[in-house]
Amino acid sequence: MNRFVIADPQLCIGCNTCMAACSETHKVQGLQVYPRLKVVKIGELTAPMLCHQCDDAPCARVCPVNAITHENNMIVLNESLCIGCKLCGLVCPFGAITPSGSKPVDMPDFFEQYVPKERLLDVPDSLPTMNPFLAWNAGIRNVAVKCDLCDFSDEGPACINVCPTDALHLVEENQLENESAKRRNASIDVMPPEFDIFISRQENT
């Protein structure tokens, strides 16, 4: 089972601190600054939506350049290999992959180097409110971005570290097994006496 971050809507206050921390942390690493999670609101509840690190990873299956791979118990997206085809974002069942048009701080500005800015002045930019799957901006290279669990950091996911209400948690395989065992035991404790009689009869037959 892959590691993943889970959010508790009962604790989330919708402050967007996790998004800001995610953006800044990846900017420092020279990666896309677009946040890897997005706080969504359903009714009165808010919670961040981010990659579930799916075991079957449909995003990896459709990537034509193998920029998405299964490594270190997570789904890894290599931004340097991505060609911006957007197929991964289209097949993601959770909408957790977004095309980003920001420029990594360690990427040479090829367009400014080889294409004078004045040649791009008559090319209109897409509106900031436009869906990122439809947006375009001359001179900007779009690549896919998704949660990478801040695997480059010894401190773990930045979103978890900054959340003021502890609404975000990193789930690993052993934690999931322990939680399942707790729930099974809890369900047995609340079973009515008739259930114990039924079990004893089944054991005696």
Side-chain angles (χ1 to χ4, degrees):
M1 188 204 78
N2 291 330
R3 300 175 293 148
F4 61 96
V5 174
I6 190 171
D8 187 344
Q10 301 295 334
L11 296 177
C12 179
I13 57 175
C15 64
N16 294 337
T17 303
C18 53
M19 294 178 61
C22 179
S23 179
E24 185 60 29
T25 299
H26 287 86
K27 179 180 179 180
V28 172
Q29 291 294 318
L31 299 169
Q32 295 289 333
V33 300
Y34 192 90
R36 271 75 176 155
L37 69 171
K38 182 178 181 180
V39 176
V40 297
K41 183 175 183 180
I42 300 178
E44 298 299 320
L45 298 176
T46 59
M49 173 64 72
L50 63 168
C51 177
H52 289 221
Q53 310 294 339
C54 305
D55 285 329
D56 58 347
C59 56
R61 294 204 305 268
V62 301
C63 181
V65 294
N66 295 323
I68 305 177
T69 55
H70 189 177
E71 302 173 26
N72 195 22
N73 293 329
M74 59 182 289
I75 303 302
V76 178
L77 192 158
N78 188 323
E79 293 183 7
S80 298
L81 294 178
C82 177
I83 59 174
C85 69
K86 306 179 181 179
L87 289 175
C88 56
L90 293 174
V91 301
C92 176
F94 303 103
I97 302 179
T98 307
S100 168
S102 62
K103 298 181 182 179
V105 295
D106 62 354
M107 179 182 288
D109 200 335
F110 292 108
F111 280 90
E112 290 186 5
Q113 183 177 354
Y114 298 110
V115 181
K117 286 185 176 180
E118 55 269 18
R119 293 189 183 180
L120 302 176
L121 293 179
D122 60 342
V123 180
D125 289 339
S126 56
L127 297 175
T129 55
M130 181 171 286
N131 186 301
F133 284 92
L134 302 176
W136 72 92
N137 288 289
I140 301 296
R141 177 190 173 212
N142 266 317
V143 300
V145 293
K146 63 173 285 297
C147 175
D148 53 13
L149 300 177
C150 294
D151 202 43
F152 48 78
S153 173
D154 293 335
E155 299 177 356
C159 57
I160 295 177
N161 296 330
V162 302
C163 181
T165 60
D166 293 325
L168 290 161
H169 302 279
L170 179 64
V171 178
E172 308 218 30
E173 185 171 7
N174 60 335
Q175 293 173 303
L176 198 60
E177 291 175 353
N178 293 338
E179 186 64 26
S180 297
K182 288 180 182 178
R183 293 189 178 185
R184 285 195 299 269
N185 293 334
S187 63
I188 292 175
D189 291 339
V190 299
M191 287 295 178
E194 294 81 2
F195 183 79
D196 293 332
I197 297 173
F198 173 77
I199 292 297
S200 61
R201 286 178 177 173
Q202 293 296 316
E203 292 175 346
N204 292 331
T205 58

